[in-house]
Amino acid sequence: MDSKRDKDQDAEFEKITPVLLKSRTGEFDLESILFLKLRGLGIHDLGCIGECINVERLDLSGNNIANLAPLASLRLLSVLSLSANRISNLEPLRSCDSLQNLNMAGNIIPSIESLHCLQSLRKLENIRLKDNTYNYTNPAFSVRNASYRTIVLEMFPNLKVLDGERVVGRGSDLYQLCKDIDDTIKAGLYKNGQLIEHPDCKPWVEDSYWEIKRSNSAIIEEAYKQFNDVLHECRLLNNRAIHVISQTERSMSLKKQPKQYAI
């Protein structure tokens, strides 16, 4: 008897119904629903979701959804998560004028051209097409096709965040700089998957580079002093970084050595 009841409940979850929505939100009127979370319920049919015309935040991740047609009436929807589904066609989202944040990682979007229908969404500023944390991606946006980022950014000039990485605004330049440095370090440390042994690194600049010419002005003197204090902290951080990198390289080098057993 219990087994039959469980199967009936599972069958109900395959399609979004007024009963499911009311039980999940406590709202009697579907138009009163503003926030809706239906993650991992095995849903493949969006059913009556289109009647929630005032919903602003909707989480449908981790289901079996392929057809987005019922979402076309959600004109106030601003945040939509559809990660880990079976979606290939985004056309119905063209009508979601208020959409700002869209998560489509872990679907089957076949090409970059599939995103053209979203270009009319002027408020769209955050798109996620892959998620390395959960290993979610799409056929058109895999690691092998790294150039898609440039194309997507050209398609959506108002975009501020792509795949969780800020591309414009405060912090974007620093993020890109750190990413470039990290990529350069990784490219230099490894060759054919093996850690390359390097001799002691030479300083980027001569020691005299950090010396600052003094001035008779008391104000400028104080500014020089504060700046030198900052440089001193930078040197300390640099020394700590060199130490950590050295330890990491030594540790990784030891891990790659074959184990030896006493006979």
Side-chain angles (χ1 to χ4, degrees), residues 96-122:
C96 299
D97 301 326
S98 302
L99 196 60
Q100 299 178 23
N101 190 321
L102 176 63
N103 187 347
M104 293 298 306
N107 282 279
I108 51 175
I109 300 175
S111 66
I112 296 179
E113 288 71 23
S114 301
L115 301 178
H116 283 314
C117 60
L118 304 178
Q119 288 184 281
S120 61
L121 303 178
R122 299 305 178 188

Side-chain angles (χ1 to χ4, degrees), residues 18 21-22 25-34 51-54:
L21 294 178
K22 292 174 182 178
T25 64
E27 297 286 352
F28 181 78
D29 186 354
L30 298 187
E31 294 185 7
S32 299
I33 298 175
L34 301 180
E51 297 180 32
C52 303
I53 58 175
N54 291 312

Side-chain angles (χ1 to χ4, degrees), residues 15-21 30 45-53 70 73-74:
K15 180 178 180 178
I16 294 180
T17 63
V19 174
L20 173 61
L21 294 178
L30 298 187
D45 189 337
L46 291 176
C48 65
I49 192 70
E51 297 180 32
C52 303
I53 58 175
S73 61
L74 305 183

Side-chain angles (χ1 to χ4, degrees), residues 78-104:
S78 62
V79 179
L80 174 61
S81 179
L82 288 163
S83 63
N85 277 283
R86 298 186 295 109
I87 300 163
S88 60
N89 183 9
L90 303 176
E91 188 67 29
L93 300 182
R94 182 193 296 269
S95 303
C96 299
D97 301 326
S98 302
L99 196 60
Q100 299 178 23
N101 190 321
L102 176 63
N103 187 347
M104 293 298 306

Side-chain angles (χ1 to χ4, degrees), residues 15-259:
K15 180 178 180 178
I16 294 180
T17 63
V19 174
L20 173 61
L21 294 178
K22 292 174 182 178
S23 66
R24 288 273 164 171
T25 64
E27 297 286 352
F28 181 78
D29 186 354
L30 298 187
E31 294 185 7
S32 299
I33 298 175
L34 301 180
F35 311 104
L36 186 56
K37 184 176 181 180
L38 300 172
R39 302 185 62 175
L41 299 180
I43 297 169
H44 66 77
D45 189 337
L46 291 176
C48 65
I49 192 70
E51 297 180 32
C52 303
I53 58 175
N54 291 312
V55 69
E56 298 176 2
R57 302 174 69 93
L58 177 59
D59 187 350
L60 292 166
S61 56
N63 287 293
N64 296 309
I65 300 167
N67 181 13
L68 299 180
L71 298 181
S73 61
L74 305 183
R75 308 299 291 270
L76 300 180
L77 186 62
S78 62
V79 179
L80 174 61
S81 179
L82 288 163
S83 63
N85 277 283
R86 298 186 295 109
I87 300 163
S88 60
N89 183 9
L90 303 176
E91 188 67 29
L93 300 182
R94 182 193 296 269
S95 303
C96 299
D97 301 326
S98 302
L99 196 60
Q100 299 178 23
N101 190 321
L102 176 63
N103 187 347
M104 293 298 306
N107 282 279
I108 51 175
I109 300 175
S111 66
I112 296 179
E113 288 71 23
S114 301
L115 301 178
H116 283 314
C117 60
L118 304 178
Q119 288 184 281
S120 61
L121 303 178
R122 299 305 178 188
K123 295 183 179 181
L124 189 59
E125 58 182 29
N126 187 334
I127 299 178
R128 184 179 285 276
L129 300 167
K130 67 175 184 177
D131 190 333
N132 294 331
T133 302
Y134 299 100
N135 198 28
Y136 291 162
T137 185
N138 279 280
F141 312 109
S142 62
V143 177
R144 297 177 182 178
N145 185 20
S147 62
Y148 81 85
R149 289 180 55 85
T150 301
I151 300 174
V152 171
L153 293 176
E154 290 177 354
M155 290 175 60
F156 300 94
N158 296 327
L159 210 61
K160 294 182 179 179
V161 181
L162 176 59
D163 295 336
E165 301 175 1
R166 184 171 287 276
V167 293
V168 298
R170 186 176 181 181
S172 59
D173 293 339
L174 177 59
Y175 181 90
Q176 186 61 44
L177 176 61
C178 293
K179 186 175 184 300
D180 292 342
I181 293 175
D182 187 53
D183 291 341
T184 301
I185 291 175
K186 288 180 179 178
L189 289 178
Y190 293 92
K191 184 177 182 181
N192 298 324
Q194 298 295 323
L195 184 67
I196 301 175
E197 294 292 339
H198 292 283
D200 293 338
C201 297
K202 296 181 179 179
W204 291 352
V205 296
E206 299 295 333
D207 291 339
S208 58
Y209 178 86
W210 303 105
E211 299 297 331
I212 299 176
K213 187 177 180 180
R214 297 294 180 179
S215 169
N216 293 328
S217 171
I219 297 177
I220 296 179
E221 282 286 336
E222 178 61 23
Y224 279 138
K225 180 180 181 302
Q226 294 180 14
F227 184 63
N228 273 325
D229 290 341
V230 174
L231 288 180
H232 178 67
E233 292 180 6
C234 289
R235 291 194 191 99
L236 292 178
L237 288 174
N238 180 65
N239 291 336
R240 292 175 188 171
I242 292 175
H243 179 67
V244 171
I245 291 173
S246 177
Q247 284 187 324
T248 303
E249 289 179 346
R250 190 179 302 108
S251 176
M252 296 182 68
S253 177
L254 291 175
K255 288 182 179 179
K256 292 183 179 296
Q257 294 180 0
K259 294 183 178 179

